[in-house]
Amino acid sequence: MGRARQHAEARQGERRRRLANEAARLMAESGIRDYNQARRKAASRLGIHDETSLPRNQEIEEALREYQRIFLGPAQADAVRVRREAAARAMEFFAAFQPRLVGPVLDGTADAGSPVALHLHADDPEAVARFLAEHRIPAEPRGRRVRLDRRRELQVTAWLFEAEDLAFELTVLPGAVLRQAPLSALDERPMPRASLAQVRGLLAGG
């Protein structure tokens, strides 16, 4: 029984690795940003429908980093650097809203299709809209659902626009959220965020 169980666990582990690698490839090559979408599409392509074999988000992220290192190399590193530089300039511009950099540009998994994602903070939800209008920035609003913790969610607005041939996504959050980061979809822990000073530190460190 023990040997059979070990064999079954080994097969399940191999399926998880195959699914994680395929999901990572889809994210890197097809521009998929959602881990669940990539996971389900990978399962469909490989014909693996065992729920217990589905990899966790963190496993897919690790596979994505490895894929980028092997197949994209300097091009991917350049995409991250260019977007971090653009993020720093945008954070200076939106300084009144205490911006924080989040997402793939911060964690280093951004590619040529990744937007620069910033969290802006304002108790008046229309303040960012007015600021964009005053500076004639043609941004498009999108509804977003943000999880503050395991029980509380917020419906907020994200503003999408392009500048410097890059996509930007500004999610507007209440000022109080600055003290406690929303939960990450990756691991349901407080989302990593970086201030302007921290982004400059990342750039200085290469």
Side-chain angles (χ1 to χ4, degrees), residues 80-95 99-101 105 116 118 164 166 168 194-203:
V80 172
R81 177 185 53 78
V82 166
R83 281 158 179 76
R84 284 178 176 173
E85 290 172 348
R89 291 189 291 273
M91 293 170 82
E92 291 175 354
F93 184 72
F94 291 105
R100 295 293 184 270
L101 177 64
V105 176
V116 177
L118 300 178
E164 304 179 16
L166 298 174
F168 288 79
S195 66
L196 176 56
Q198 290 168 324
V199 173
R200 286 171 173 161
L202 288 173
L203 290 168

Side-chain angles (χ1 to χ4, degrees), residues 14-26 38-50 53-55:
E14 177 59 26
R15 286 196 297 267
R16 291 174 73 93
R17 283 190 292 274
R18 287 177 60 204
L19 282 170
N21 290 336
E22 177 64 11
R25 187 190 68 79
L26 289 169
R39 178 168 41 240
R40 296 294 178 183
K41 194 166 185 178
S44 177
R45 288 197 172 194
L46 296 179
I48 299 174
H49 305 293
D50 176 13
S53 297
L54 296 179

Side-chain angles (χ1 to χ4, degrees), residues 75-155:
Q76 191 265 333
D78 286 345
V80 172
R81 177 185 53 78
V82 166
R83 281 158 179 76
R84 284 178 176 173
E85 290 172 348
R89 291 189 291 273
M91 293 170 82
E92 291 175 354
F93 184 72
F94 291 105
F97 302 104
Q98 301 181 81
R100 295 293 184 270
L101 177 64
V102 298
V105 176
L106 175 59
D107 68 32
T109 60
D111 56 31
S114 298
V116 177
L118 300 178
H119 283 179
L120 304 186
H121 302 84
D123 290 325
D124 177 1
E126 297 302 317
V128 173
R130 291 195 298 269
F131 186 86
L132 291 168
E134 288 168 5
H135 290 84
R136 298 182 181 180
I137 298 174
E140 187 175 349
R142 288 282 189 275
R144 289 283 187 275
R145 195 171 285 178
V146 174
R147 295 184 64 194
L148 298 180
D149 53 42
R150 295 182 186 274
R151 294 182 298 275
R152 294 182 300 156
E153 288 187 347
L154 276 181
Q155 187 69 31

Side-chain angles (χ1 to χ4, degrees), residues 56-58 61-62 102-103 119 146-150 177 180-193:
R56 298 187 302 273
N57 290 349
Q58 289 162 300
E61 184 192 40
E62 290 171 6
V102 298
H119 283 179
V146 174
R147 295 184 64 194
L148 298 180
D149 53 42
R150 295 182 186 274
V177 178
Q180 179 182 349
L183 298 186
S184 168
L186 179 65
D187 55 13
E188 295 190 343
R189 295 180 179 178
M191 186 181 296
R193 302 182 297 180

